[in-house]
Amino acid sequence: MDSAEQNDSSVPRGDIFVTTRWTVVLHAGRKSSPQSDRALGELCQTYWYPLYAYVRRKGKTREDAEDLVQAFFEKFLERNYLEGLSAERGKFRAFLLASLKHFLANEWDRSQRQKRGGGVTHLSLDWQSADERFHLDPPDPSNPEKTFDREWALALLERVIFRLRDECAAEGKEKLFGQAKGFLMVGESVIPYAQAASSLNMDEGAVRVAVHRLRARYRALLRDEIAQTLDDPAQVAEELRSLQAALAG
């Protein structure tokens, strides 16, 4: 099991920042490896939708946005993906958006556009779901960057919830997670503990303890997931504040 995979599945510890997905990619430089290619692919698979939303907010149609994002990833995931591009202070979020802007400004030749579904397929992207989600998002056509940051934050939180769900399932606690996940995102008054306890056939005090533990694990996974997109551990708190601001704005 490689370092990136270990960080993805193990409990975050004090040394989780030594090797993250993004540092694996950065350290590979221009010489990609199966490990760095997989790390980059996992990051792109998680965070592709914010790019789609950004392109749509730039005024592109659904069809053009699909073509552009697909063509971008086909180039981005080539073995020279780092060549000539800045790591943007070690943040994958900033690096990916800067790379897309570079692509849109300098490298998109409409006359060379491939049909959707053609060429090399590196990522399996759910375009139908993306379009439906885009129309549900709050419109802000004046600020595509703000849309990108908000969707990035939502994608990150979704990834954290999925990881926590999978951990609970592995421990045979699927039902507990189903009842308790609401406490991770909303106030206690919204979902009464007594109601959750009744559904789980548990004592209310035991449910409170379980929720407390899940919240702690959620926070740990959140920090770990943020770390996976950074090169510098000192940036985790800063990135968390930035993403909270993006959701609040």
Side-chain angles (χ1 to χ4, degrees), residues 100-162:
L100 177 68
K101 289 179 177 179
H102 177 80
F103 172 80
L104 294 177
N106 303 311
E107 301 182 28
W108 174 247
D109 184 348
R110 185 175 294 273
S111 66
Q112 298 299 316
R113 181 172 63 186
Q114 295 177 317
K115 293 182 179 179
R116 289 182 299 280
V120 180
T121 302
H122 294 278
L123 299 174
S124 177
L125 306 181
D126 185 356
W127 297 119
Q128 181 62 37
S129 175
D131 183 63
E132 293 172 355
R133 177 176 171 183
F134 177 77
H135 286 294
L136 292 174
D137 290 338
D140 188 7
S142 65
N143 197 334
E145 285 80 6
K146 183 177 179 181
T147 295
F148 173 83
D149 287 342
R150 179 180 181 274
E151 295 303 332
W152 186 281
L154 290 173
L156 185 144
L157 293 179
E158 183 178 50
R159 165 93 175 153
V160 171
I161 288 293
F162 285 166

Side-chain angles (χ1 to χ4, degrees), residues 14-61:
D15 61 351
I16 62 171
F17 305 114
V18 174
T19 306
T20 68
R21 292 191 190 93
W22 183 223
T23 56
V24 167
V25 174
L26 288 179
H27 293 166
R30 298 179 185 176
K31 299 179 180 179
S32 68
S33 66
Q35 182 183 10
S36 63
D37 289 348
R38 183 172 67 178
L40 183 62
E42 288 177 351
L43 286 169
C44 291
Q45 186 70 62
T46 300
Y47 298 109
W48 70 271
Y49 177 77
L51 295 181
Y52 173 83
Y54 173 85
V55 175
R56 290 297 303 273
R57 292 291 179 226
K58 294 291 284 185
K60 300 298 182 182
T61 65

Side-chain angles (χ1 to χ4, degrees), residues 9 24 68 141 151 160 173 179 190 202 205 208 219 230 232:
S9 60
V24 167
L68 285 163
E151 295 303 332
V160 171
K173 299 178 180 178
Q179 288 293 321
V190 177
M202 292 173 60
R208 289 180 180 274
R219 289 191 293 269
L230 302 175
D232 182 357

